[in-house]
Amino acid sequence: MRPASEACGSTWARSYDYTARELVRPRSVEDVRDLVLREPRLRALGSRHSFTDLADTPGVLVSLDGLEESPSLVGDVVRVPGGMRYGELAAWLQERGRALPNLASLPHISVAGAVATGTHGSGVGNGSLATSVTALEIVDGRGELVRLSAGEPDFAGAVVGVGALGIVTHLELLTSPTYQVAQTVHEGLTYADLREHLTEILGAAYSVSIFTRWTDEPDGSVGRVWVKSRSTTPEIPGTVLATGPRHVVPGLDPAPCTEQLGVPGPWHERLPHFRLDFQPSVGAELQSEYLVPLYRAQEAVDAVRSLADRVRPLLQVGEIRAVAADDLWLSPAYGTDSLALHFTWKADPVGVGALLPDLEQRLPTGTRPHWGKLFATTDPGAEFPRWDDFRDLVRRFDPDRRFWNAWLDRVLG
Ligand SMILES: Cc1cc2nc3c(=O)[nH]c(=O)nc-3n(C[C@H](O)[C@H](O)[C@H](O)COP(=O)(O)OP(=O)(O)OC[C@H]3O[C@@H](n4cnc5c(N)ncnc54)[C@H](O)[C@@H]3O)c2cc1C
């Protein structure tokens, strides 16, 4: 039966209106295979939390949130249907005493969409969310259902696949026993301390985020440190503990944010900054993010600070995190422990578009963009050693270019 079609709408932040002909919601893997065999152009759509035309297609957008399936656990590994969101999966795992090593700032995103772009949380010992994947099932451009497991030749190329290889119908993720996390906010960080103690601060607990607007605030500080600890709360140089809950954007109501003040709770209710049942972040916004080799962290923060007078008027808030190295070809943390410099911009595409080339030009060699967000470079491949191997993989998985789109044309060439 042909799945029902719908209007295509826009990204979550309304930063891009999809131009696809229609949106369909297949109910089974067989439906997905039929679609791929029938449609000359199509693309998987997750929860729409990327900011550009990355997921778009001139043909059919395929949302897997209608797949009639639940997750299942076999030993330590959970099998997840392609349309499921982290928030739903995390609650399901917690009920069974299991956990994932990390989550992004929000639980609203789909597992498949987040993995496809190399989405990450923070922690010097935590890889991106894609590093939990142990197997993928993809309907490729010939309509074949392909299973790839960790260790097989194409696996490391396919996991962060930016939607270019096909439609991921299932993922398998390694879980651990559940654990508790306590979250504290530390205020009053100065730029001198941020710069001097950057890697020490990021390594002070299981997951650490520094929120900054890059210019000095009226009290002389440059930001706050959000600490998510699995043991005792660490001291952060030059800061004091916040006495009440905070939003990541100074001055906003903290109600949408996960519990703070050091109250321990389950991993999935502390690792994201935002609660599942509230709107995350700001809404009217754009985002960019760059991953820089961690050994260049000071150079990178100095580069942004040198542009602070241009960054600040366009910025709602910036976030600095750490991501451990991995071996996934298109992962922005490929082969190197990384510093992630995130920017939640105001919804000003012209202003942000004018700033990004200058910002990128100042960031150190080795900087790689987040695939789901805005970036200016037209040659990101130069920083990815397996770029040409990934292009070959795309040619093999999608010989007729069914999943090709304008974003791939610009970025992959
Ligand atoms: C408020 C907010 C907070 C964010 N916080 C973070 C953060 O903390 N860390 C971080 O790294 N990023 C963050 N992001 C970025 C976000 O995680 C990524 O853009 C992610 O890709 C969004 O997943 P999605 O399901 O919305 O994917 P979509 O935007 O719907 O799609 C993204 C890509 O995934 C592909 N895709 C989706 N589903 C499938 C599938 N089943 N098979 C094959 N390909 C598929 C699409 O084709 C597309 O190429 C944030 C974004 C927002 C809006």
Side-chain angles (χ1 to χ4, degrees), residues 295-323:
Y295 68 88
R296 300 208 128 146
Q298 277 192 349
E299 257 179 90
V301 293
D302 284 347
V304 184
R305 178 81 165 172
S306 73
L307 272 179
D309 289 346
R310 290 181 59 200
V311 167
R312 177 71 185 88
L314 289 165
L315 194 67
Q316 313 213 46
V317 76
E319 181 177 6
I320 304 173
R321 291 178 276 187
V323 187

Side-chain angles (χ1 to χ4, degrees), residues 14-95:
R14 300 191 186 285
S15 50
Y16 178 80
D17 293 328
Y18 293 110
T19 61
R21 198 182 76 232
E22 58 181 319
L23 169 70
V24 297
R25 292 197 150 81
R27 295 195 164 270
S28 67
V29 174
E30 273 316 300
D31 280 355
V32 176
R33 294 189 62 194
D34 289 348
L35 266 171
V36 172
L37 289 174
R38 192 174 59 233
E39 294 294 340
R41 303 295 292 278
L42 70 173
R43 205 68 199 167
L45 180 67
S47 56
R48 303 168 179 264
H49 286 85
S50 49
F51 287 83
T52 65
D53 57 348
L54 168 63
D56 207 2
T57 168
V60 173
L61 281 175
V62 182
S63 168
L64 297 188
D65 60 7
L67 275 192
E68 288 166 337
E69 248 185 89
S70 307
S72 55
L73 256 178
V74 179
D76 292 350
V77 172
V78 63
R79 180 177 158 84
V80 183
M84 193 166 202
R85 296 178 185 233
Y86 271 103
E88 296 148 14
L89 173 64
W92 187 92
L93 286 171
Q94 174 64 15
E95 279 172 21

Side-chain angles (χ1 to χ4, degrees), residues 12 43-51 54-55 64 82 104-106 109-110 112-114 116-120 162-163 166-168 280-281 285 287 289 321 370 372-373:
W12 168 85
R43 205 68 199 167
L45 180 67
S47 56
R48 303 168 179 264
H49 286 85
S50 49
F51 287 83
L54 168 63
L64 297 188
S105 67
L106 75 175
I109 49 179
S110 81
T117 58
T119 289
H120 59 88
V162 293
I167 300 183
V168 174
S281 196
E285 66 190 69
Q287 293 187 10
E289 190 162 23
R321 291 178 276 187
H370 188 308
K373 305 185 182 185

Side-chain angles (χ1 to χ4, degrees), residues 99-103 121-127 132 176-177 179-182 201-209 226-232 234 267 270-271 322:
L100 296 171
N102 213 349
L103 291 169
S122 190
V124 290
N126 294 323
S132 294
S176 70
Y179 53 88
Q180 298 259 304
V181 176
I201 294 171
L202 290 170
Y206 186 69
S207 167
V208 175
S209 293
W226 284 41
V227 170
K228 299 168 195 274
S229 176
R230 289 179 66 172
S231 53
T232 51
W267 60 284
R270 298 293 184 278
L271 290 175

Side-chain angles (χ1 to χ4, degrees), residues 29 32-33 36 44 64 79 82 112 115-116 133 135-149 154-172 390 393 397-398 403:
V29 174
V32 176
R33 294 189 62 194
V36 172
L64 297 188
R79 180 177 158 84
V115 164
V133 177
L136 287 174
E137 288 169 21
I138 310 178
V139 176
D140 72 9
R142 294 154 303 184
E144 301 288 332
L145 181 64
V146 180
R147 181 181 166 86
L148 294 172
S149 299
D154 294 336
F155 175 82
V159 178
V160 179
V162 293
L165 303 175
I167 300 183
V168 174
T169 59
H170 292 89
L171 304 99
E172 292 177 9
F390 184 76
L393 199 61
F397 270 68
D398 187 22
F403 304 111

